Amino acid sequence: VIEVAGIKVGLAVCYDLRFALLARQLAASGAELLVYPSAFTEVTGAAHWHLLLRARAVESGCYVLAADQCGEHNAKRRSFGHSMLVDPWAQVVAELGNAPEVLVATMDLQRLREIRQKLPLHHHQRLTASLKETH
C-alpha cells in the first residue's frame, strides 16, 4: 500500500483479481483504492471481468481501478479491454470499451467512508491462521 495524492493505494496485478483475501489484506493495511493493471483475454474477460472487479470492491470496501489491455496481440491472443473504476458498493463509476482510450473518473472518498460506516466489514472479518491453513 502506497500513498498517491493523499489516497492510499493497494497495488496488485491481473491474476491477483482472483484472490479475495489479498484484496481484503490490502484494505486491512489501509488501502482505499485497489489498482489492477491487467491482461485478461477476451474469453476470461467476458466471463469474469465485471464480476471479479465488483466483488473485490464489495469485499474490500475499496474503490477498484483496473486497466486491462485491449485488442489483438497476435493471431492467437486478444485482450478484453473494458478498463473501469468500481466503487465500494459495486457501482461502475466509469468503463471503457475495447479500444485504446483514457479513463478519467472521480472517486468520492466521502462515499467510501459512508459505505464503510454502514457496512463495517473491516471490523467484522477476522483474518486468522485457520483461514490461511485450508490446504
Side-chain angles (χ1 to χ4, degrees):
V1 175
I2 62 170
E3 190 166 319
V4 178
I7 298 170
K8 293 178 182 153
V9 181
L11 302 174
V13 295
C14 183
Y15 193 63
D16 294 337
L17 259 173
R18 299 186 178 280
F19 302 101
L21 287 178
L22 173 60
R24 182 62 195 98
Q25 187 62 51
L26 290 168
S29 298
E32 299 164 305
L33 169 67
L34 304 180
V35 176
Y36 295 91
S38 300
F40 267 60
T41 66
E42 280 190 325
V43 173
T44 57
H48 303 147
W49 184 249
H50 288 82
L51 172 71
L52 289 172
L53 293 176
R54 294 177 74 209
R56 293 303 80 87
V58 170
E59 293 163 346
S60 67
C62 292
Y63 275 86
V64 172
L65 176 64
D68 194 38
Q69 293 181 22
C70 63
E72 186 173 331
H73 303 282
N74 58 49
K76 295 183 179 183
R77 179 156 174 90
R78 291 185 58 81
S79 289
F80 183 65
H82 295 271
S83 298
M84 68 172 64
L85 177 67
V86 180
D87 80 7
W89 200 251
Q91 299 299 305
V92 176
V93 176
E95 178 179 0
L96 300 179
N98 190 9
E101 300 177 76
V102 175
L103 186 137
V104 177
T106 301
M107 286 179 33
D108 183 346
L109 293 179
Q110 180 58 36
R111 177 168 168 76
L112 178 135
R113 285 188 280 281
E114 289 170 4
I115 290 169
R116 285 183 172 182
Q117 182 179 0
K118 291 177 183 174
L119 189 62
L121 301 170
H122 299 267
H123 299 292
H124 294 159
Q125 185 176 45
R126 306 276 191 282
L127 297 175
T128 65
S130 63
L131 285 175
K132 297 174 186 171
E133 297 172 5
T134 58
H135 297 308

